[in-house]
Amino acid sequence: MSDRLSPLLSSPYVQRLGVRFVGHGDELTGILPYTEQIVGNPLIPALHGGAIGAFMEMTAAAGLLAHSELAALPKPIDVAVDYLRPGRPEDVFARAVVTRQGSRVANVKVEAWQAKRSSPIASLHGHFLVKPVTSS
Amino acid sequence: MSKDLQAHLDELAGLLVAGSPHAVDLGFELDSITPGVAVIRAPYREDLIGDPETGVMHGGVVTALLDHTAGLAAFAGFGGDKAVATLDLRLDYMRPAEPGKDVIAEARTIKVSGLFAFVSAIAHDGDADDPVATAHAAFMVSKVSEAAAEKAKEDIARGATPISALPKPGEKGGAL
């Protein structure tokens, strides 16, 4: 599993945010650790929507890499992010579900939460360009 | 009215990017803010690369840039006196940004309707007719952000700076 994620984990931006992934069986949870650098509005304080969005895109890519063997990092085509609650200054978790993977395009849904899995702070639905490794 | 608003926005301009730690961390620079319109530049940086093989900046940086720029456009669209919350952000990634080039986001408030603002934005790396990404976003004045704006006014009146109040990693966050 971690071998498959290595192209993602070697990304400078992924490393800069400190994003990591923990697998349990076939389930993969992304972790965005809280740092002051991901705060968008210090007055609330709330995490930056862009940091949460970027983290969910990374989790979608990780979900796709874990789901099947790909020859390259998945590339986002379009994403729609719903912001459900302000992100508190705490760690964020996220899990991706690959709704459908074709030979070129995959549909992925991601949900991000903090203290309570049942109270998500944001969700993402996106299409990604994928290059599956062919058996030939 | 709009002349007063422009003066108000000019007064706040220094805080609109510099007051957001994540925007500062990503190196964002405010190019301009006018009623309903914001332009922000993200200088190319190697530590923001997504795929080391291509050197292209991570899509997430463009996401954050478009989110921040659209948010400022909505803020300026609402009249520059209400904190706003993002309801949703829809992004189309049209092509990779060219390695080495700055990415510039331009966001325009299409309409303010009551508590809501609808914003359209593009990101490009030099030619606005050849966008890297486009975005549509909806914002609202939320109770949380209104309460935060009130709290901010009180804090600033007491002489506190916004960033000094942040909890450190590992600490529990402030109550909402």
Side-chain angles (χ1 to χ4, degrees), chain A residues 102-117:
Chain A
S103 59
R104 288 176 297 184
V105 173
N107 295 47
V108 188
K109 284 181 177 157
V110 179
E111 214 166 66
W113 73 94
Q114 293 186 299
K116 262 174 86 180
R117 176 82 169 89

Side-chain angles (χ1 to χ4, degrees), chain B residues 46-58:
Chain B
E46 287 186 349
D47 57 343
L48 302 180
I49 288 172
D51 186 347
E53 282 186 20
T54 60
V56 171
M57 274 214 275
H58 196 282

